[in-house]
Amino acid sequence: EAGVVQSPRYKIIEKKQPVAFWCNPISGHNTLYWYRQNLGQGPELLIRYENEEAVDDSQLPKDRFSAERLKGVDSTLKIQPAELGDSAVYLCASSGTLLYNEQFFGPGTRLTVL
Amino acid sequence: GNSVTQMEGPVTLSEEAFLTINCTYTATGYPSLFWYVQYPGEGLQLLLKATKADDKGSNKGFEATYRKETTSFHLEKGSVQVSDSAVYFCALKGSGGYQKVTFGTGTKLQVIP
């Protein structure tokens, strides 16, 4: 079974530029998560989707971050414009519908903003 | 709110040494507790979990016991291998309906031959 796929794996941009990350969850997983992991820290949830609906986006900085999950499968996370402090690893995870279902993580996209 | 505190790393051990990584938590009710492992260049993988007090989670020789009286979930392994070198994250998920997972800051383990 294929795992969670993310692309690109690495991205280097200059500040004020836009950037987008893509995630393809495990087939059949209705719940999709985006996390940000700063250097030396644990992941922090940005947004959670149940199918195509964003059910928890309380930690998403909405002035510059946006996300979508059209058709309830793939998802895109966008930053526009990027700031130096956005440098981090952006992780995507997915899980099934049961309450204690394990979250499966992708390898992440390492973003460097110069 | 919920929080997880784990020992700072890096932890450096010789092969076959005994491993303990401490983790304590703050949460209301009866959270579920997890240990995740992150190998270099990879995403997090669930290593083990415990969903109620006194449960012991185990996998790949690692163990952790949910201690409600001390609000702890320490990770142990009797004999580490070089392949265990990774970053280990303690995490909790609150009880009652959907709750997000709260992660600790991670502990890097280096096992030398």
Side-chain angles (χ1 to χ4, degrees), chain B residues 21 37-40 82-88 107-111:
Chain B
I21 300 178
V37 58
Q38 187 175 32
Y39 298 103
V82 173
S83 58
D84 294 327
S85 298
V87 181
Y88 293 81
T107 302
K108 184 175 183 178
L109 171 65
Q110 294 177 311
V111 181

Side-chain angles (χ1 to χ4, degrees), chain A residues 84-105:
Chain A
L84 295 177
D86 296 331
S87 295
V89 176
Y90 291 84
L91 296 166
C92 179
S94 69
S95 67
T97 55
L98 296 178
L99 190 60
Y100 292 106
N101 258 357
E102 175 185 349
Q103 292 185 29
F104 291 84
F105 285 81

